[in-house]
């Protein structure tokens, strides 16, 4: 089982942002996406998660395999930490809520309403959600925003654990996560130029 | 004076004149607004295109 | 080479530049002829008095108000199926023209209703569904305006247009389903060739109807051009900012 | 599916979840009408069925903007769209939860408010039946409207503009049932029409809603 | 101050800003009433002034949740509260912008909608005057409600619940002016009361609004 | 002109979180706040910005001197980058919009609607707002979230420039900003314990 991206072109707001992307992630591997602000990392991850269509190229192996986590954590402020996780566990037909809570050091916060957490605590809860999806491919957009150093380490451990059980991870980030054997993929060189028209909608008008 | 030009509308002068008045105002208004918007769009596009040209 | 080639924005602009002058002249001439003829040179009706003159505005505008929606429906379907940008923009461009037609029909109808029915407005099926159609026009334009991403806006408004067509159909054919309304039935049944409107009124009316149709076409062509230019401006600016 | 339904219900009953507000709004609209029209018992009793329907409809409408927008803003919809649950089903479940928390309570209290408006006694049963048959359509159509406007910040008014015209047929037949019922006339034709609309809408709308929602999540 | 007013007006006219939607909603409410009550011209003309007032009131109400909540969510309110501008002034300016984009258009179209409801001709002037005098109070009271509910996600319904009772006096006197005017009776007493309410509210409410907003920002 | 905090106790959600804080920041100085997730940095900054009341102690020198920037940037999606800045400039009675745009490298994005920016671009705009307030004390809550390395450097330069003209900065952050001579203040040791009841509202019930 491999996630393969071949000659992918993606667009945002009617214009292509990245073109000609190809990479593959296989079992137990992590791929770190890098690139300056506005390069198109978020767009790429949303495309891979199936939330938007690519305008060219192909993605294989992603169908129903992906757990996506973006800036917005999808937390309900009026449900407790545990209830939030239980909901997602049930949607994905999994259990393991307790393990997830433990992994991200949320034990003491279990009965707090998610709305009363600090920025970093919310983020930890958002990441704990990944563990209850049971999905093999984690697609993460700047997962460590607001996390302190200890929590970043927790997160890195969680990713290592996931990889060790045959999972994969695709992570866009600006900081160093301390994942030693992760490949790094810089999207910078693939920025779409004037002459990569591939059918993004604005191009009909250029 | 007016009656020389206008046909005799009898007791229904008000509704008929009001209809023609409002109808024509709306039609002419629509055409004028469309043309105004069109001109503006054209000017904006020309500005951008000429800037493009000078860049290239 | 097929008709679809005009779905290319630039080609469309060239085409519209060629046909627009003729369209403008023809349509304005027809509208002016129909209205002037109708207003100055037709006799009063024995029953309705001079109010018949309102027919030259009311019927063509009501006709085009509904036809405009059907045209938008067609354009929306083309967009949904073949994803030609010009057709989405044509639907967008037609809506304001449609609303103005609707408003003219509503206003002239109300002004006509006061002397004829003794009331400005009645809640009869045709009038009611026509008013709902008006609301759909408003909603349609508001939706276009509210959504930033042009493709999403085109998709969503197309779905809305499909749904709203129910009321366009009703406002034209409601009289056939329910016959309790106050409003006139069809006065010009094309199929049977039988006419309830006398010839003196008929000729200018037809000219006015043709005129309104042509005017609609001219406006839609012109406004579609405007929309294309706006879109192109935006695309060029976006590309500049991106690169 | 069950998890989603339970979550939505639970959220509705938590603080700030809005359960009961629809009811209160219903009550207030009825009161406002009484104030605005003036206290003429005979006049009120003539307009009572219509006013009850309008109140129910507006109460339903005002709670619609919470239906999807909250989930959209906090990212839950993105996550739901990537979850192993067809979007059509998810939306139907959400519409059901909306009906349970909004439509059903309205049906239950409508007769009580009828008293305030001098509704003739034989009308009580019919207004209840009419609302019971009609309100599910309101929730489902409302879901469609909510899905179309989900990307628009505070799109409440636009939502109303899009949804209310679609509510008109339900309203016309629903109010007709209630009015005829109150006057002791035969209600079968409008009731059949009302049921027809509800079933038609239940069968078709979720697909339209899911389609527009996918566009909006893009 | 001017910057804030201009920004609010500009945002209202931009895409998604909601200008014009209040109007559309007003039209729809009027239509709905006609559908729900049934097309009896004489009945409609009796309830017309009241219905117009309710429509205006609801249209105003529905646009309130955009008044502060958007600024709260994106953090603008926090920043405004730390800016060199008294919060009272900022809120008054926002209320003014709300009135210009919502109340004023309603005043202008009310007579046209009166036609749909068979309002007697002598009523047109009075409904316009009543709305012109009364709607500023609606915006200012609404700002208070918006300030109270600003921390609550999608608090639209709760907002309605808090604000509508406060609207009742305005509604009663406003509708009375319109009704008496339509029947050709003397309107001076209710008109004076209405004006009194508006001025009182304009003078006091901004302070209350600023106070509750400060609590909510805490 | 100095910002002085003396024996400050602050509460959040009815319970005290930090107690006995004292520090001072004077002209040209920057103070970096550190502390694990949930320590109370956000609460502290909001208190200093005057958005909430302390439950004990005193803050002096802050009144009307503060430009606050938090997670939410206060941007209007439907106004362009320039319009957003112009609005805030006018509210604070300043100009310098162009300079701010230049400083944060937003020149090319000037006419874009703020809603169509990427996460990092939005953040840059949020930070550019600080420059048009003309306020001497910058109070910043995790300002570098989502920023790439180049943008973090831009930000550090902007802070240095601000300090050089006699400004001050109080910054809560989890990463290293590269501000060489900034003092660091760890709030960890000041965590409120069971026996620091100072009048937070829930305590009446303990
Ligand atoms: C506010 C009031 C009115 C509205 C909204 C209205 C609306 C309409 C509509 C929607 C049509 C159909 C156009 C089509 O199917 O293409 C129509 C046609 C027509 N209306 Fe009206 N109308 C109103 C009042 C009146 C009055 C008062 C009269 C005359 C007494 C009148 C005479 C006609 C005639 C003669 C036609 C052409 C019939 C046909 O070809 O089907 N209308 N109107
Ligand atoms: N709604 C939108 N409309 C138009 N353009 C957009 C929109 N959203 C993003 N963009 C543009 O698309 C490009 C890619 O954005 P994207 O969010 O994918 O960048 P990113 O790599 O995630 O950046 P960051 O590191 O800042 O999060 C950017 O140049 C951005 O300005
Ligand atoms: N609304 C609330 N109600 C109750 N407790 C809250 C609320 N918001 C935050 N808290 C709690 O107050 C404490 C301080 O929160 P604060 O947001 O100040 O932390 P922080 O230092 O900014 O953390 P982070 O680095 O994660 O942003 C945390 O323990 C948090 O759980
Ligand atoms: Mg991003
Ligand atoms: Mg924080």
């Amino acid at each position: 089982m491999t996630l393969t991206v071949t000659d992918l072109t993606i667009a945002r707001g009617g214009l292509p942002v990245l073109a000609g992307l190809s990479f593959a992630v296989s079992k137990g591997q992590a791929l770190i996406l890098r690139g300056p602000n506005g390069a198109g990392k978020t767009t790429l991850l949303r495309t891979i998660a199936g939330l938007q269509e690519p305008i060219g190229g192909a993605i294989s192996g992603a169908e129903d395999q992906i757990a996506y986590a973006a800036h917005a954590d999808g937390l309900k402020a009026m449900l407790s930490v545990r209830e939030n996780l239980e909901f997602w566990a049930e949607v994905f037909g999994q259990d393991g809520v307790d393990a997830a809570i433990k992994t991200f050091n949320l034990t003491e916060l279990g009965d707090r309403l998610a709305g009363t957490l600090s920025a970093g605590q919310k983020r930890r809860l958002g990441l704990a959600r990944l563990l209850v999806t049971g999905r093999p491919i984690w697609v993460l957009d700047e997962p460590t925003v607001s996390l302190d150093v200890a929590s970043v380490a927790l997160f890195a451990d969680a990713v290592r654990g996931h990889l060790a059980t045959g999972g994969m991870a695709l992570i866009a980030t600006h900081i160093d996560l301390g994942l030693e054997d992760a490949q790094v993929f810089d999207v910078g060189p693939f920025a779409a130029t004037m002459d990569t028209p591939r059918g993004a909608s604005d191009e009909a008008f250029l | 004076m007016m009656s020389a030009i206008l046909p005799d509308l009898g007791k229904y002068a008000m509704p008929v004149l009001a209809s023609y008045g409002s109808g024509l105002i709306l039609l002419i208004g629509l055409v004028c607004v469309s043309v105004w918007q069109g001109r503006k769009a054209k000017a904006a596009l020309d500005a951008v295109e000429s800037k493009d040209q000078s860049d290239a | 080479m097929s008709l679809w080639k005009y779905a290319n924005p630039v080609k469309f602009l060239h085409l519209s530049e060629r046909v627009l002058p003729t369209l403008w002249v023809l349509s304005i001439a027809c509208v002016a002829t129909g209205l002037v003829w109708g207003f100055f040179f037709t006799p009063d009706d024995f029953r309705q008095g001079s109010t018949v003159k309102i027919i030259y505005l009311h019927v063509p505008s009501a006709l085009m108000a509904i036809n405009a929606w059907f045209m938008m429906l067609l354009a929306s379907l083309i967009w949904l199926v073949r994803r030609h940008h010009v057709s989405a923009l044509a639907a967008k461009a037609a809506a304001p023209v449609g609303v103005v037609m609707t408003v003219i029909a509503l206003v002239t109808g109300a002004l006509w209703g006061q002397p004829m029915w003794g009331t400005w407005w009645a809640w009869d099926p045709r009038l009611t569904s026509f008013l709902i159609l008006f609301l759909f026009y408003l909603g349609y334009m508001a939706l276009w305006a509210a959504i930033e991403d042009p493709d999403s806006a085109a998709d969503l408004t197309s779905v809305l247009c499909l749904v709203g067509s129910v009321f366009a159909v009703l406002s034209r054919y409601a009289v056939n389903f329910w016959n309790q309304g106050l409003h006139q039935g069809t006065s010009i049944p094309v199929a049977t060739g039988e006419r309830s409107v006398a010839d003196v009124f008929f000729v200018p009316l037809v000219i006015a109807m043709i005129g309104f149709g042509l005017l609609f076409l001219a406006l839609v062509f012109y406004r579609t051009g405007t929309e294309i230019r706006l879109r192109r401006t935006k695309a060029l600016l976006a590309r500049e900012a991106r690169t | 599916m069950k998890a989603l339904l339970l979550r939505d219900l639970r959220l509705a009953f938590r603080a700030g979840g809005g359960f009961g507000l629809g009811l209160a709004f219903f009550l207030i609209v009825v009161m406002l009408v009484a104030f605005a029209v003036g206290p003429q018992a005979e006049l009120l009793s003539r307009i009572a069925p219509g006013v009850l329907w309008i109140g129910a409809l507006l109460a339903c409408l005002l709670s619609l903007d919470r239906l999807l927008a909250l989930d959209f803003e906090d990212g839950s919809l993105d996550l739901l769209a990537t979850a192993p649950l067809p979007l059509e089903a998810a939306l139907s479940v959400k519409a059901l939860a909306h009906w349970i928390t909004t439509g059903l309570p309205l049906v239950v209290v409508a007769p009580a408010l009828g008293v305030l408006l001098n509704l003739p006694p034989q009308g009580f049963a019919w207004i209840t039946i009419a609302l019971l048959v009609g309100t599910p359509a309101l929730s489902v159509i409302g879901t469609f409207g909510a899905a179309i406007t989900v990307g628009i910040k505070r799109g409440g008014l636009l939502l109303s503009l899009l949804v209310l015209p679609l509510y008109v047929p339900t309203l016309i037949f629903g109010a007709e049932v209630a009015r005829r019922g109150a006057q002791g006339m035969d209600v079968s034709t409008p009731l059949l029409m009302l049921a027809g609309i509800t079933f038609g809408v239940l069968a078709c709308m979720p697909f339209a809603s899911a389609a527009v929602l996918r566009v909006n999540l893009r």
Side-chain angles (χ1 to χ4, degrees), chain A, chain B, chain C, chain D:
Chain A
M1 218 198 56
T2 326
L3 172 72
T4 323
V5 163
T6 338
D7 197 22
L8 195 71
T9 305
I10 55 176
R12 176 92 201 144
L15 281 178
V17 290
L18 292 174
L21 291 165
S22 300
F23 57 80
V25 189
S26 48
K27 275 193 168 186
Q29 281 193 327
L31 187 70
I32 310 282
L33 292 179
R34 297 206 170 265
N37 287 144
K41 300 178 296 299
T42 300
T43 312
L44 175 59
L45 293 182
R46 286 183 69 86
T47 311
I48 291 176
L51 290 167
Q52 65 178 73
E53 299 275 293
I55 58 171
I59 302 168
S60 76
E63 191 85 332
D64 274 344
Q65 303 291 322
I66 284 185
Y68 174 65
H71 299 281
D73 288 315
L75 304 177
K76 288 290 156 194
M78 289 310 293
L79 294 181
S80 71
V81 167
R82 175 175 297 277
E83 282 169 335
N84 267 297
L85 284 177
E86 274 167 355
F87 166 66
W88 287 112
E90 209 166 326
V91 165
F92 284 89
Q94 302 281 321
D95 36 24
V97 171
D98 289 310
I101 286 184
K102 208 173 286 111
T103 311
F104 281 99
N105 194 15
L106 292 163
T107 323
E108 278 168 9
L109 301 171
D111 296 323
R112 280 268 283 278
L113 295 183
T116 67
L117 300 179
S118 81
Q121 291 164 341
K122 273 193 189 126
R123 184 59 5 173
R124 289 216 299 269
L125 175 53
L127 295 173
R129 192 185 59 82
L130 293 171
L131 294 174
V132 301
T133 60
R135 291 279 175 91
I137 311 181
W138 287 2
V139 171
L140 314 179
D141 197 359
E142 304 192 36
T144 57
V145 158
S146 306
L147 290 185
D148 60 18
V149 184
S151 304
V152 172
L154 275 183
F155 166 70
D157 286 344
V159 172
R160 274 189 218 102
H162 179 65
L163 298 181
T165 59
M168 314 171 210
L170 200 61
I171 307 175
T173 179
H174 294 296
I175 70 160
D176 182 22
L177 297 176
L179 291 172
E180 303 73 18
D181 32 48
Q183 297 163 257
V184 173
F185 185 87
D186 188 349
V187 298
F190 298 91
T193 55
M194 296 262 188
D195 29 72
T196 43
R198 302 266 187 127
S201 70
D202 268 10
E203 287 175 353
F205 297 89
L206 289 179
Chain B
M1 190 49 212
M2 284 301 279
S3 56
I5 319 167
L6 283 179
D8 178 22
L9 297 170
K11 59 180 170 163
Y12 296 129
M14 200 288 287
V16 177
L17 290 179
S19 302
Y20 274 79
S22 53
L24 287 179
I25 287 176
L26 281 167
L27 279 183
I28 294 171
L30 173 66
V31 173
C32 289
V33 169
S34 299
V35 170
W36 177 68
Q37 288 173 334
R39 292 250 167 90
K40 218 172 61 171
K42 207 170 208 158
L45 179 59
D46 287 347
V48 173
E49 275 178 339
S50 60
K51 201 169 79 184
D52 244 25
Q53 223 85 78
S54 60
D55 279 357
Chain C
M1 275 286 135
S2 73
L3 197 59
W4 295 120
K5 76 173 185 228
Y6 292 111
N8 174 307
V10 181
K11 294 238 177 61
F12 178 89
L13 281 184
H14 289 319
L15 172 76
S16 76
E17 246 151 46
R18 260 184 294 133
V19 296
L20 259 178
T22 333
L23 258 183
W24 279 125
V25 171
L26 264 183
S27 62
I28 290 175
C30 278
V31 171
T33 314
L35 292 186
V36 169
W37 185 342
F39 188 76
F40 291 101
F41 307 112
T42 52
D44 289 355
D45 185 70
F46 70 96
R47 220 157 27 88
Q48 308 192 349
S50 59
T51 55
V52 274
K53 294 187 192 304
I54 299 179
I55 207 174
Y56 307 107
L57 273 168
H58 177 71
V59 174
S61 57
L63 180 82
M64 286 321 294
I66 297 175
N67 286 357
W69 191 273
F70 287 136
M71 175 257 154
M72 281 154 57
L73 174 66
L74 187 70
S76 300
L77 288 175
I78 294 178
W79 160 253
L80 286 180
V81 176
R82 302 202 49 152
R83 298 197 94 70
H84 285 303
H85 293 279
V86 174
S87 89
L89 290 181
K92 181 182 183 189
V97 187
V99 202
V100 171
M101 294 293 174
T102 315
V103 173
I104 295 178
L106 283 170
V107 171
T108 55
L111 286 168
W112 201 357
Q114 174 62 16
M116 285 304 102
W117 306 334
T119 170
W120 305 97
W121 181 261
W123 293 98
D124 114 322
R126 169 170 266 186
L127 306 200
T128 302
S129 41
F130 197 63
L131 191 60
I132 298 180
L133 182 67
F134 176 58
L135 289 180
F136 264 97
Y137 268 120
L138 296 185
Y140 181 87
M141 294 196 315
L143 193 60
W144 262 112
I147 296 172
E148 281 164 53
D149 180 52
D151 282 8
S152 307
D155 283 335
L156 298 175
T157 51
S158 296
V159 176
L160 189 70
C161 184
L162 272 172
V163 175
S165 299
V166 175
F167 294 94
V169 171
L170 270 186
S171 45
R172 174 154 295 164
Y173 302 107
V175 270
N176 306 349
F177 305 148
W178 288 281
N179 39 15
Q180 75 235 45
L182 264 177
H183 195 279
Q184 257 72 5
T186 310
S187 44
I188 313 152
V190 187
T192 57
E194 217 179 308
R195 299 205 293 259
S196 58
V197 175
D199 279 340
V200 256
F201 304 124
F202 186 66
V203 181
L205 177 59
V206 169
I207 295 179
M209 278 162 50
I210 295 175
F212 270 66
L214 289 175
L215 185 64
F216 172 77
L217 274 188
L219 280 166
V220 170
F221 260 76
Y222 186 78
R223 296 181 61 92
T224 310
T226 304
E227 294 292 344
I228 291 177
R229 289 198 178 90
L230 286 176
R231 195 58 202 281
R232 184 169 152 78
T233 312
K234 211 182 119 217
L236 288 173
L237 283 177
R239 185 179 65 176
E240 247 169 57
R242 199 68 68 82
T243 45
Chain D
M1 307 260 289
K2 212 184 96 223
L4 186 58
L5 181 64
L6 287 181
R7 181 192 76 148
D8 271 20
L9 292 180
R10 188 181 283 160
L11 281 173
F13 290 110
R14 290 276 160 96
F19 177 77
L21 291 180
L23 279 185
F25 186 77
F26 190 24
L27 174 66
I28 292 185
V29 168
V30 169
M31 274 175 45
L32 284 184
V33 170
F35 284 130
V37 170
Q40 300 133 291
E42 155 272 343
L43 183 59
L44 280 180
S45 96
R46 277 177 72 191
I47 61 174
V51 171
L52 287 177
W53 258 98
I54 295 215
L57 204 133
L58 290 177
C60 226
L61 185 79
L62 284 191
S63 51
L64 283 180
D65 70 338
R66 313 177 57 99
L67 188 66
L68 295 177
L70 284 179
D71 279 338
F72 179 77
E73 281 164 15
D74 65 16
S76 300
L77 273 187
D78 275 352
L79 302 179
L80 271 179
T82 56
L85 188 68
L87 211 48
E88 286 80 4
L91 286 177
S92 303
V93 169
K94 287 188 85 68
L96 177 62
H98 178 258
W99 183 72
I100 294 177
T101 52
T102 316
L104 199 54
L106 293 179
V107 177
V108 175
V109 301
L113 295 185
V115 174
L116 288 185
L117 292 174
N118 254 305
L119 187 72
Q122 70 266 38
F124 289 129
W126 287 116
I127 185 80
T128 314
I129 293 177
L131 284 173
L132 194 61
V133 177
T135 43
L138 299 186
S139 289
V140 176
I141 297 177
T143 311
F144 172 71
I148 271 200
T149 54
V150 76
I152 301 159
K153 287 238 155 187
R154 302 265 147 188
L157 265 179
L158 181 58
L159 176 66
S160 320
L161 180 57
L162 296 181
V163 164
L164 282 180
L166 290 172
Y167 277 178
V168 168
T170 310
L171 174 68
I172 289 181
F173 292 111
E176 185 76 12
V177 170
R179 192 164 54 235
R180 290 203 188 184
Q183 292 166 5
M185 288 154 53
D186 175 44
V187 300
S188 53
T189 325
L191 192 56
L192 265 180
M193 294 293 286
L194 186 63
I197 292 174
T198 301
F199 280 111
V201 156
L202 283 178
C204 307
M205 271 296 178
F207 298 97
S209 311
V212 292
L213 186 57
R214 282 208 190 87
V215 170
N216 269 325
L217 288 183
R218 207 150 62 187

